[in-house]
Amino acid sequence: MSEGAAKKEEKPRKFQAIRGTRDLLPPETALWNRVEQAVHEVFATFGFGEIRLPILDPTELFARSIGVDTDVVSKEMFTFWDPFDQRLPPKYQIEEARARGINIQNEGELATIGLALSFQQLTLRPEATASVCRAYIERNMQQLPQPVKLYTIGPMFRRERPQKGRYRQFYQIDAEVLGGSDAPGIDAELIEMVMTFLERLGLEGVQLHINSIGDKNCRPKYVELLREELRKVKDKLGPDSQRRVETNPLRVLDSKVEGEQEIIEKLPRISQHLCDACRENYDEVKRQLALRGIVYSQNFRLVRGLDYYVRTTFEITAKGLGSQNAVCGGGRYDGLIELLGGPPTRATGFAIGEDRLILSLQEQAKSKEVASGEWRVASEKPRVEVYVAWMGEKAYATAIRAAKNLRAAGFSVELPPVEQKFGKALGQADKLGARYALILGDNEVESGEWTLKTLATGEQGKFAEAQLLEFLGKKRSGE
RNA sequence: GUGGGAGUAGCUCAGCUGGUAGAGCGUCGGACUGUGGCUCCGAAUGUCGCGGGUUCAAUCCCCGUCUCCCACCCCA
């Protein structure tokens, strides 16, 4: 109260989403839902079931499956120790340690055990395949009729520098076919499924690129050959590629450096060095794609970056994405499940970058809007269908009942929580883009005849309570 | 991790060779106590991203830092 007491209150810190993460808001989320709805519908028609996975898994799982030398594992994972809680009284710390199988005699030993109690290192998953494989093994899915077809949708985390179509928390739509044979028909059908899905969404300008990168019989030989060839021209390569000659020669094929293109064109191609089994397999995949009427282009430079891929790999690019233009990547990974301690199991799968897919859809919508002025990505029904404008206590009771019944019938209803003059109420209704205003005042309560106004035309009519639902229902289905 | 660009109101942006900020849109209120869109009037919201330096004086100049955007690397 005393003047001058106006102390400078420090404003609380303004928080912001951490780098590379973002909030998705309406109306954009409606588009996300539409995309995900299409996933559920289309994938189900191919016999896939949804699996929901933890976002955390042991670091070791990713290191083993993706490969410790990959960028993803070596520098992009969000990893931390699951801490043993040292705030606990020593008595409980000892108990906890024993529960974890660490034999500990007295308090004095606690300190020396130290990090050993921090039992495992956890990682925010950078991709889904490893976790799906872990689940396949852990839940003994080899006992199920093979192959097991699973898909999952959710956030992944990689600590990269954000740019267009790349976030540190990003979303993938992931599908895997585990077990059974390595019949090319499986790869082809998997690709068919993505293409069907993208078509369902109306995404235009998608391109499918395929390649075979051999298996453990022929790939190492090819890699050596490639390395030898690259060494001969090493001085003509940029620093990145020079490094890759030794670390991962396949990656050189992927280079975008202008001056290297000519050299790359002349390098030996893996298609010429596949073993018989891989070549036959690849030929058959292509034949199977053709059988399904799927257009593809072969791209000998398509080398997936994750260690586990063998044989067929593929990538789908889309428009409007900047330089990160792949919306989907996938391939076969026959050795992975065994590597993770499971039975020898054939497997293949893909991941769609949902953020990029959405981005591409939005860009497409933008250009269409410019062209025709009509096309909308999220052509959802309006957020508010009926705005209930009421005045007076008695009318409020009626309004509540009306809102309840309309909602039960599936209409989206906005019921203002405080009394408003009708002018203001209609203004609100208008701003919210409501289709109808239901006007309830003294007159309506007395007569039992409610007033319904169609905002777009200004027409309005009187309805008894029962007639109203009927009228609105007809209107809705008639449109 | 490297390079380039950018940060001023909720949004889009102006702000001259340094003199502590404006517009449009949006939001809220009123003109308008039973009828919206149009119009008019009014209001709120900024530590000019943050920290330091130069200066009598910094949104403006310098350095650092953070974030965003784009690209490289790599990947979806």
Side-chain angles (χ1 to χ4, degrees):
Chain A
M1 304 289 153
S2 64
E3 52 214 296
K7 45 191 163 186
K8 274 185 214 160
E9 269 190 39
E10 277 192 36
K11 272 193 190 167
R13 172 186 165 200
K14 200 170 175 182
F15 290 103
Q16 57 181 349
I18 61 178
R19 175 171 228 193
T21 71
R22 58 199 180 132
D23 305 307
L24 299 169
L25 309 173
E28 193 187 351
T29 38
L31 177 56
W32 285 73
N33 281 324
R34 216 185 78 186
V35 165
E36 288 169 18
Q37 192 54 41
V39 171
H40 297 308
E41 287 170 14
V42 173
F43 287 19
T45 66
F46 283 81
F48 281 67
E50 183 180 9
I51 179 172
R52 300 209 179 189
L53 298 162
I55 284 176
L56 291 170
D57 252 313
T59 304
E60 181 64 16
L61 173 68
F62 302 114
R64 286 251 291 276
S65 60
I66 300 168
V68 283
D69 293 327
T70 59
D71 280 16
V72 170
V73 171
S74 66
K75 51 192 185 198
E76 294 173 0
M77 296 203 302
F78 287 97
T79 291
F80 59 94
W81 288 100
D82 179 15
F84 175 71
D85 194 345
Q86 296 177 346
R87 291 165 305 180
L88 288 171
K91 189 176 96 180
Y92 295 108
Q93 287 191 42
I94 291 170
E95 250 173 55
E96 174 81 18
R98 286 184 180 148
R100 294 187 188 192
I102 298 171
N103 190 20
I104 202 167
Q105 299 303 324
N106 55 54
E107 268 184 51
E109 288 178 41
L110 274 174
T112 61
I113 299 293
L115 258 189
L117 292 176
S118 295
F119 225 30
Q120 57 180 355
Q121 231 179 350
L122 303 183
T123 290
L124 251 30
R125 61 181 186 190
E127 56 127 40
T129 303
S131 300
V132 173
C133 290
R134 193 221 72 229
Y136 180 87
I137 297 165
E138 183 178 349
R139 307 301 293 265
N140 296 312
M141 292 191 220
Q142 68 273 18
Q143 306 291 346
L144 269 31
Q146 304 292 301
V148 174
K149 300 194 266 189
L150 297 170
Y151 74 95
T152 191
I153 304 173
M156 309 294 158
F157 305 83
R158 289 182 202 172
R159 201 180 177 290
E160 298 176 279
R161 192 84 171 252
Q163 71 185 76
K164 187 166 189 166
R166 167 185 290 168
Y167 306 95
R168 289 184 169 186
Q169 175 175 340
F170 59 103
Y171 295 79
Q172 284 190 342
I173 297 159
D174 184 274
E176 315 285 351
V177 181
L178 306 143
S181 73
D182 61 350
I186 291 180
D187 301 79
E189 192 175 81
L190 187 71
I191 291 170
E192 182 186 359
M193 183 168 83
V194 203
M195 299 306 276
T196 304
F197 165 68
L198 295 176
E199 199 176 322
R200 164 77 70 93
L201 291 175
L203 186 67
E204 296 168 1
V206 305
Q207 283 188 303
L208 170 66
H209 305 272
I210 64 169
N211 194 18
S212 173
I213 56 171
D215 61 13
K216 53 178 173 288
N217 297 319
C218 49
R219 180 158 47 160
K221 288 179 203 156
Y222 169 71
V223 169
E224 251 339 288
L225 174 70
L226 188 60
R227 182 174 281 139
E228 276 166 35
E229 290 300 313
L230 283 168
R231 278 179 181 147
K232 292 178 194 165
V233 294
K234 200 168 176 179
D235 52 323
K236 291 180 194 144
L237 300 171
D240 283 325
S241 291
Q242 288 200 10
R243 183 168 41 76
R244 291 192 208 116
V245 171
E246 301 309 324
T247 59
N248 192 348
L250 288 174
R251 288 242 138 266
V252 179
L253 299 175
D254 213 17
S255 168
K256 290 172 197 158
V257 179
E258 195 75 23
E260 296 176 1
Q261 303 309 309
E262 210 178 318
I263 300 169
I264 292 168
E265 285 297 322
K266 289 182 195 151
L267 290 169
R269 304 191 175 184
I270 192 158
S271 54
Q272 305 304 314
H273 296 84
L274 293 174
C275 61
D276 290 346
C278 283
R279 190 195 331 280
E280 279 166 29
N281 180 276
Y282 187 39
D283 286 344
E284 184 61 14
V285 168
K286 288 185 282 190
R287 198 182 71 88
Q288 291 268 352
L289 285 173
L291 233 44
R292 289 168 168 78
I294 294 167
V295 180
Y296 59 86
S297 63
Q298 293 185 68
N299 185 349
F300 74 95
R301 301 169 63 155
L302 178 62
V303 196
R304 310 258 83 229
L306 279 29
D307 280 3
Y308 52 62
Y309 285 116
V310 294
R311 291 193 167 172
T312 306
T313 60
F314 65 96
E315 185 168 290
I316 298 168
T317 57
K319 295 188 294 187
L321 289 175
S323 77
Q324 307 303 325
N325 65 347
V327 283
C328 176
R332 183 158 277 284
Y333 51 94
D334 288 340
L336 181 56
I337 289 182
E338 196 172 1
L339 181 71
L340 294 176
T345 305
R346 311 285 194 177
T348 182
F350 65 77
I352 296 169
E354 192 174 3
D355 307 76
R356 291 182 189 174
L357 175 56
I358 299 266
L359 185 60
S360 187
L361 286 168
Q362 287 169 328
E363 291 295 324
Q364 180 176 319
K366 248 189 243 169
S367 57
K368 294 237 172 168
E369 233 167 277
V370 172
S372 71
E374 279 176 12
W375 213 87
R376 291 282 184 285
V377 184
S379 52
E380 305 295 316
K381 62 182 184 181
R383 189 166 78 77
V384 178
E385 291 174 287
V386 183
Y387 191 97
V388 183
W390 61 273
M391 266 186 87
E393 266 309 304
K394 280 184 195 159
Y396 189 34
T398 307
I400 290 170
R401 192 176 75 233
K404 187 174 183 178
N405 291 336
L406 284 165
R407 285 171 177 150
F411 293 95
S412 83
V413 177
E414 195 67 25
L415 176 69
V418 292
E419 188 174 65
Q420 291 170 322
K421 295 166 192 168
F422 286 115
K424 180 163 175 121
L426 290 182
Q428 284 292 331
D430 197 49
K431 265 184 276 196
L432 293 175
R435 189 164 290 169
Y436 302 101
L438 177 61
I439 296 169
L440 299 171
D442 292 339
N443 300 347
E444 284 77 10
V445 173
E446 267 172 45
S447 68
E449 295 270 288
W450 296 355
T451 305
L452 185 76
K453 177 160 189 158
T454 305
L455 277 315
T457 61
E459 290 173 278
Q460 62 183 51
K462 298 263 185 187
F463 296 89
E465 185 170 354
Q467 294 171 336
L468 183 75
L469 278 175
E470 199 183 328
F471 173 79
L472 287 174
K474 271 186 198 158
K475 274 282 182 190
R476 183 158 63 178
S477 57
E479 276 167 4

